[in-house]
Amino acid sequence: MIIGVKKRNVNAASASSASKLLAMAKKRSSKATLLLIFISFTALYAFLPVLAPLPSLSSSSHHNKVNRNFEISRDMFWKDSQPFQIIGGDLHYFRVHPQYWEDRLLKAKALGLNTIQTYVPWNLHEPSPGRHVFEGFADIESFLKLCNKLGLLVMLRPGPYICAEWDWGGFPAWFSSMSPSPKLRSSDPTFLHLVERWWGNLLPKLVPLLYQNGGPIIMVQIENEYGSYGNDKAYLQHLVVLARSHLGPDIILYTTDGGARENLEKGTIRGDAVYSAVDFSTGDDPWPIFELQKKYNAPGKSPPLSAEFYTGWLTHWGEKIAKTDADFTAASLEKILQKNGSAVLYMAHGGTNFGFYSGANTGSAEADYQPDLTSYDYDAPIREDGDVDNSKYNAIRKVIARYSSVPLPSVPSNIQKTAYGPIHLQRKTFLFDEFNFTSSTNVFESEQPMSMESVGQLFGFLLYVTQYKANGGIKTLLIPKLHDRAQVFISCPSDVTGARPSYVGAIERWSNNKLNLPNLKCHSNINLLILVENMGRVNYGPYIFDGKGILSSVYLDGEILHRWKMFPIPLHNLNEVPTHNGIMQVAYSARGKRLTSKYENTSREPAFYSGHFSIDKSSEVKDTYISFNNWGKGIAFVNDFDIGRYWPLRGPQCNLYVPAPVLKQGNNYLVILELESPDPELVVHSVDEPDFTCSFGNMNLHQL
């Protein structure tokens, strides 16, 4: 998305609609050229020439096709030789539990959609170099086959860059540890080699799923809103040739760019090889933008398409939840559909940023860092939990029903949710107790701080430890480049009382504040502990080169601190098998342990807490939410599934969504890593609805 901006018989309803569309097409394009060019791919090599000639948009006239086909001609889409209006919606398989894919797709179809658009996040599918994953949340083939089974077409967006409010726009985090580091979104040979390897693994899996081969895929996107970022035409051309080498000459390739001349100039590929779609703000007059779109497509090859029609908007931590008016959204959509324009709702269903995969944006400066919520509800017509009993779903469905070529299916029921009530937690361990600061095992040592990526800590947290002299007085700590948020502690290793580390304060990337360290009486050097959290890599704009951790020297009273130890914290991400590391084992162990002091209930020191709730019958296993009201900030796991980040102190999200497939009959275990402010009562609640009303201090309303 853009920030800031064999042949089938046709039933009577379809035939009637098709006749109307055909008549409109003839009126508009009576002199349209029907000749298209065959391109043969008989000699492609492992490394394709960047400036190779680009093939035609399709291989033949729709009049000559005898098998399934999807083409562009006369400024219209044609499906099996009949005019076709795309009424689609984005629904990302990686943001929905696989057992709920069918439910969400059926609700999208009942909304009136005939097409699903989805991104493909490279980082989910290649979490480490050369290890490709296509199971679980990453089982894209099963998702596409399900779309086909349900009669939904697919517009696929395999990147390599996807934006999507997803960590680093889908790029694998291990890129940052490479030397030389690849230059993203460019014709840099190192980057292109990685793309070739990735697409060489992905795209062949898609060939049987192309529409002409009996599958649902009608179009494949090249890059994503590239005109808002760069102007490297050689890069775009290389992607086109690479895609054609795997997918063949018949599939429609397309680009999507903001509907402004500058974006289209930089992001499109002139000629007949690639179709150029547009997006623009909801409420803008679409038809002048569609006229501009024509200038960037070949004559007769510019069916009007808003590839991202925004039904809502994203929300960052510290903002009020984004909302858009249902009637306004529906009326804006009708302005496109009533003149035979096509549109893809972004989003039809948003879903959830489970694990550590939520992304971030920046403002005008790199320091203006804006991390995204765990929820990706997006104020879409199908809510995060799949609910469709809302005004936006009804308003959009009513509009689509007037233009759909077939009667709309009945709307499926909402999935049941329940509140399992209070869940009492116990502290299992303080995080820092799990590290031996004098040992050389499971630690990286360096004169200067190392980035998270350089020690293999691609997501989550990294603990930095060093010492400074205890010579009295208040000292000023400065970290010029910190990504993204640090909690600072000091302790005296010679203190025989065993005093806990003292919390000093937080340093945040977006404020880049100095921190005063209090005078600590100590007969040895003082330990300085800095726990750094990666809150999501920037996924859009000029600052997407977003390494994590401490990325500069650290200064104490203007002097550089040396001799650092870096302690990785192994917490599993979405779609990863839980590792039986010591930290998580402790978090789940010693059930029944009781706290011994009120301090342990109110400490600002990061700690793991765990508890459980029981579900007596399998019929009682339902969706729920975990409410973190009265807690501070952290991450949560239910039955080893990472349900995401919570931060009610900043808001607006109070509750984390737990889909029923994560739960089970019997005992269900909750483990949380609370970073700074546990509820003194050590209780969370399982509730039956979302809540976006948490906020402390001033917040901005993020409304489209």
Side-chain angles (χ1 to χ4, degrees):
M1 61 157 295
I2 189 166
I3 302 299
V5 251
K6 324 180 203 179
K7 188 174 180 179
R8 298 178 177 176
N9 292 324
V10 182
N11 61 34
S14 295
S16 174
S17 177
S19 298
K20 294 178 182 178
L21 295 176
L22 181 58
M24 294 175 68
K26 288 179 178 178
K27 290 178 182 178
R28 287 201 310 264
S29 307
S30 60
K31 297 183 181 180
T33 302
L34 299 180
L35 184 62
L36 300 173
I37 301 170
F38 276 100
I39 298 294
S40 175
F41 284 87
T42 57
L44 284 163
Y45 297 90
F47 297 97
L48 298 165
V50 169
L51 293 173
L54 299 180
S56 172
L57 198 63
S58 62
S59 62
S60 66
S61 165
H62 68 276
H63 293 296
N64 298 328
K65 296 290 283 187
V66 293
N67 297 319
R68 286 162 52 101
N69 60 85
F70 194 89
E71 299 176 306
I72 294 175
S73 179
R74 304 183 189 180
D75 286 335
M76 295 191 68
F77 296 109
W78 296 79
K79 175 177 171 284
D80 298 331
S81 303
Q82 296 294 324
F84 186 79
Q85 185 178 30
I86 293 175
I87 305 177
D90 267 80
L91 192 160
H92 302 156
Y93 60 95
F94 47 92
R95 283 184 160 123
V96 179
H97 195 287
Q99 291 187 36
Y100 279 169
W101 285 345
E102 185 164 359
D103 173 78
R104 305 306 195 256
L105 289 171
L106 287 173
K107 288 170 178 172
K109 189 169 184 177
L111 183 61
L113 306 188
N114 54 36
T115 304
I116 296 297
Q117 185 170 247
T118 185
Y119 286 119
V120 182
W122 187 351
N123 50 10
L124 182 67
H125 290 279
E126 193 177 1
S128 58
R131 183 171 74 88
H132 294 99
V133 178
F134 293 96
E135 297 86 31
F137 278 76
D139 190 356
I140 184 174
E141 292 173 276
S142 292
F143 177 79
L144 295 173
K145 290 175 182 177
L146 181 58
C147 290
N148 204 31
K149 171 189 170 184
L150 299 178
L152 289 162
L153 302 175
V154 172
M155 296 166 61
L156 198 70
R157 313 172 90 179
Y161 163 78
I162 66 169
C163 186
E165 288 73 63
W166 191 256
D167 189 82
W168 214 9
F171 289 127
W174 48 265
F175 281 8
S176 291
S177 62
M178 295 179 61
S179 183
S181 184
K183 297 178 182 178
L184 307 180
R185 310 183 74 183
S186 77
S187 52
D188 166 49
T190 300
F191 177 63
L192 290 183
H193 174 70
L194 293 167
V195 175
E196 288 163 357
R197 187 179 70 183
W198 160 229
W199 275 14
N201 195 286
L202 170 69
L203 297 188
K205 297 178 183 296
L206 306 180
V207 172
L209 297 167
L210 300 180
Y211 185 76
Q212 61 267 28
N213 295 332
I217 302 174
I218 56 172
M219 298 169 64
V220 175
Q221 183 172 286
I222 298 297
E223 243 278 349
N224 187 59
E225 295 175 331
Y226 185 71
S228 300
Y229 176 79
N231 193 25
D232 188 342
K233 296 293 188 180
Y235 163 56
L236 295 179
Q237 290 170 333
H238 188 92
L239 294 181
V240 171
V241 176
L242 181 61
R244 288 286 183 215
S245 73
H246 292 291
L247 302 178
D250 290 327
I251 188 70
I252 295 173
L253 302 181
Y254 70 110
T255 58
T256 299
D257 287 286
R261 189 176 302 275
E262 179 183 1
N263 296 331
L264 291 165
E265 285 286 349
K266 295 189 295 184
T268 61
I269 300 173
R270 296 298 186 96
D272 197 24
V274 181
Y275 164 66
S276 302
V278 292
D279 57 34
F280 43 85
S281 297
T282 302
D284 286 354
D285 186 349
W287 291 99
I289 299 172
F290 290 145
E291 284 299 313
L292 178 64
Q293 176 192 5
K294 285 185 177 183
K295 299 181 184 299
Y296 297 90
N297 282 304
K301 297 299 179 69
S302 192
L305 170 63
S306 172
E308 290 189 6
F309 174 86
Y310 302 115
T311 61
W313 204 248
L314 62 102
T315 305
H316 305 116
W317 292 108
E319 298 172 348
K320 289 186 178 179
I321 192 68
K323 294 288 184 181
T324 59
D325 181 77
D327 292 335
F328 172 80
T329 302
S332 298
L333 177 63
E334 185 159 27
K335 290 179 182 178
I336 296 174
L337 301 184
Q338 67 187 359
K339 294 184 180 180
N340 196 33
S342 292
V344 181
L345 310 183
Y346 193 101
M347 300 288 296
H349 171 56
T352 309
N353 295 317
F354 292 119
F356 295 105
Y357 276 116
S358 55
N361 294 297
T362 58
S364 58
E366 184 179 7
D368 185 14
Y369 175 76
Q370 303 161 5
D372 297 321
L373 302 183
T374 296
S375 172
Y376 199 62
D377 179 85
Y378 211 82
D379 196 29
I382 305 173
R383 299 300 193 217
E384 178 183 10
D385 55 16
D387 277 10
V388 292
D389 186 15
N390 63 77
S391 60
K392 186 169 288 184
Y393 187 93
N394 295 331
I396 290 176
R397 187 172 189 266
K398 184 177 180 180
V399 166
I400 292 176
R402 291 198 282 266
Y403 302 97
S404 175
S405 62
V406 296
L408 271 54
S410 59
V411 179
S413 300
N414 290 336
I415 289 177
Q416 289 187 327
K417 292 171 286 296
T418 195
Y420 294 108
I423 305 171
H424 296 277
L425 305 180
Q426 298 170 11
R427 181 185 60 78
K428 296 304 178 181
T429 182
F430 286 115
L431 176 64
F432 299 151
D433 287 351
E434 299 309 305
F435 301 102
N436 185 340
F437 297 138
T438 62
S439 172
S440 60
T441 59
N442 299 319
V443 62
F444 293 81
E445 300 187 44
S446 175
E447 279 297 301
Q448 292 292 322
M450 300 171 66
S451 71
M452 298 179 79
E453 293 86 354
S454 64
V455 302
Q457 186 70 53
L458 302 183
F459 297 94
F461 305 86
L462 183 63
L463 178 62
Y464 294 80
V465 179
T466 190
Q467 293 186 333
Y468 64 92
K469 293 180 179 180
N471 52 11
I474 296 175
K475 298 182 181 298
T476 301
L477 180 71
L478 173 65
I479 309 176
K481 193 165 187 179
L482 169 71
H483 290 188
D484 298 305
R485 188 175 187 270
Q487 293 167 261
V488 179
F489 301 80
I490 56 176
S491 68
C492 178
S494 62
D495 192 329
V496 295
T497 65
R500 305 297 312 173
S502 298
Y503 176 70
V504 179
I507 302 175
E508 296 172 326
R509 172 176 176 175
W510 45 93
S511 57
N512 197 25
N513 54 298
K514 296 179 181 179
L515 199 62
N516 290 328
L517 307 185
N519 182 24
L520 185 64
K521 294 180 180 180
C522 187
H523 298 296
S524 63
N525 288 337
I526 296 173
N527 286 334
L528 173 64
L529 296 80
I530 305 176
L531 180 64
V532 177
E533 179 182 4
N534 164 7
M535 294 193 63
R537 291 174 181 83
V538 173
N539 57 260
Y540 180 84
Y543 304 114
I544 63 171
F545 303 92
D546 190 23
K548 294 301 182 181
I550 296 177
L551 306 178
S552 65
S553 295
V554 177
Y555 297 84
L556 194 64
D557 284 346
E559 299 292 327
I560 295 177
L561 292 174
H562 298 279
R563 301 182 66 182
W564 289 88
K565 293 182 178 180
M566 278 65 59
F567 294 87
I569 301 174
L571 302 172
H572 59 275
N573 205 349
L574 174 68
N575 216 44
E576 292 181 347
V577 177
T579 56
H580 295 287
N581 61 77
I583 290 178
M584 291 304 287
Q585 285 178 346
V586 170
Y588 279 100
S589 69
R591 295 190 176 94
K593 179 180 177 180
R594 293 295 176 184
L595 300 174
T596 59
S597 72
K598 188 67 175 177
Y599 166 82
E600 293 175 333
N601 291 47
T602 59
S603 168
R604 300 293 299 271
E605 186 180 341
F608 283 95
Y609 300 82
S610 71
H612 71 276
F613 58 99
S614 182
I615 303 177
D616 294 334
K617 301 176 182 178
S618 59
S619 60
E620 296 174 351
V621 177
K622 296 180 172 67
D623 285 6
T624 192
Y625 286 85
I626 304 296
S627 170
F628 290 93
N629 271 299
N630 298 322
W631 290 76
K633 187 182 195 303
I635 57 170
F637 301 83
V638 174
N639 295 335
D640 276 329
F641 181 85
D642 189 342
I643 61 173
R645 300 177 174 97
Y646 65 88
W647 197 5
L649 284 175
R650 186 63 56 94
Q653 185 173 1
C654 314
N655 303 349
L656 293 183
Y657 172 55
V658 184
V662 170
L663 304 176
K664 61 183 179 179
Q665 182 181 0
N667 284 334
N668 293 266
Y669 293 96
L670 170 67
V671 171
I672 70 173
L673 171 59
E674 169 58 50
L675 296 173
E676 58 184 44
S677 181
D679 175 13
E681 301 302 320
L682 298 187
V683 63
V684 299
H685 291 82
S686 165
V687 298
D688 60 2
E689 61 184 3
D691 184 356
F692 294 99
T693 63
C694 284
S695 62
F696 282 74
N698 294 325
M699 293 171 57
N700 296 317
L701 175 63
H702 200 161
Q703 184 164 357
L704 182 63

